[in-house]
Amino acid sequence: EGVTVEELEQTAATASPEALGVPSWAREPVNALTGDHRRIEGLIVPIAWERIDPSHSALQILHDMITQSARQFAQWGLPGQIQSGLSPYDTLIAASLVQGEVSQPDDYAKVARVIINRLDKGQRLQFDSTANYAAKVTDLNVHSDVLKGDTPWNTYVHKGLPPTPIGAVDEQALEAMERPAQGNWLYFVTIDSNGTTLFTADFNQHRRNIGRACANGFITCN
């Protein structure tokens, strides 16, 4: 019953940001991607949505979810509690990368600092999560053709943040990006299935850390 996936995608791609209920701090980048339904990625929070009326139109449904999410983001400190220097929308994008890169919330604030440090240096983020976002098949061991994929989201190819979040953002990831940890880290790698992640500012040490992940069989190395 109710609207179809195709109707939701079409509405997400073509309705005005105002009609969709997009908060003012996200309207300009959302409007810039008119025609692509992925422009509302990340604007709906990952909570239990129990009061969606399937008899409503696609626009009503998306408007209700996005406006309610904006109120939830405000409770989580967006846009008023950002200490990273990023804009509110860029904070949301970066928080989605934090959540996509590591599994342990205790590491979120350190990944947030890596993002800030790399952006400040003009260094590509080179996050596997962004390469996987637009790939047809995603894998922990990201294949070379995916790493080279020339999509706007691939931070191996393009400097800076991707144009949208790459997924729904939870409270812990957002708060970590609003208040990154202090540190000079530029690199990190998860080395085992328990989510143990090692951070360093030294590339040679980073390569040794990758070696530990390979030795553990957590990732495949050539």
Side-chain angles (χ1 to χ4, degrees):
E1 296 182 6
V3 299
T4 65
V5 171
E6 290 76 16
E7 289 171 328
L8 288 166
E9 288 183 345
Q10 178 70 12
T11 301
T14 60
S16 71
E18 292 80 6
L20 287 166
V22 173
S24 58
W25 47 263
R27 286 178 185 171
E28 184 176 346
V30 168
N31 190 59
L33 283 175
T34 297
D36 190 331
H37 68 273
R38 290 172 293 190
R39 66 188 181 138
I40 67 165
E41 185 78 84
L43 292 175
I44 297 174
V45 295
I47 60 175
W49 293 94
E50 298 176 347
R51 297 186 179 182
I52 300 301
D53 189 336
S55 69
H56 284 176
S57 68
L59 183 60
Q60 286 176 303
I61 290 172
L62 291 176
H63 178 275
D64 290 348
M65 296 179 79
I66 291 172
T67 54
Q68 184 174 329
S69 294
R71 290 191 291 270
Q72 188 68 65
F73 286 138
Q75 293 180 22
W76 294 347
L78 191 68
Q81 298 180 21
I82 301 170
Q83 299 176 13
S84 67
L86 296 179
S87 71
Y89 188 65
D90 282 351
T91 298
L92 187 65
I93 293 174
S96 75
L97 306 188
V98 167
Q99 195 166 306
E101 285 292 312
V102 290
S103 61
Q104 300 298 326
D106 288 347
D107 291 324
Y108 283 177
K110 295 176 76 173
V111 176
R113 176 52 58 185
V114 171
I115 292 173
I116 296 298
N117 289 346
R118 286 198 173 197
L119 291 175
D120 287 347
K121 287 174 65 71
Q123 182 176 344
R124 285 187 176 90
L125 294 178
Q126 296 183 314
F127 283 4
D128 291 356
S129 58
T130 66
N132 269 327
Y133 176 71
K136 292 182 179 179
V137 178
T138 61
D139 195 338
L140 181 62
N141 295 296
V142 184
H143 301 289
S144 60
D145 58 334
V146 172
L147 296 179
K148 297 175 183 176
D150 191 10
T151 77
W153 287 270
N154 188 353
T155 58
Y156 280 92
V157 175
H158 300 285
K159 282 187 176 181
L161 294 166
T164 72
I166 60 169
V169 176
D170 68 18
E171 181 178 8
Q172 289 175 299
L174 183 57
E175 290 183 345
M177 200 64 238
E178 290 168 349
R179 294 179 290 278
Q182 294 301 310
N184 64 347
W185 312 290
L186 289 169
Y187 310 98
F188 63 91
V189 61
T190 300
I191 64 168
D192 58 37
S193 57
N194 294 323
T196 305
T197 301
L198 304 180
F199 294 80
T200 182
D202 180 76
F203 181 67
N204 289 326
Q205 180 59 51
H206 179 56
R207 295 187 67 177
R208 290 191 287 271
N209 292 342
I210 291 174
R212 292 181 61 179
C214 297
N216 290 337
F218 185 65
I219 61 176
T220 301
C221 300
N222 296 326

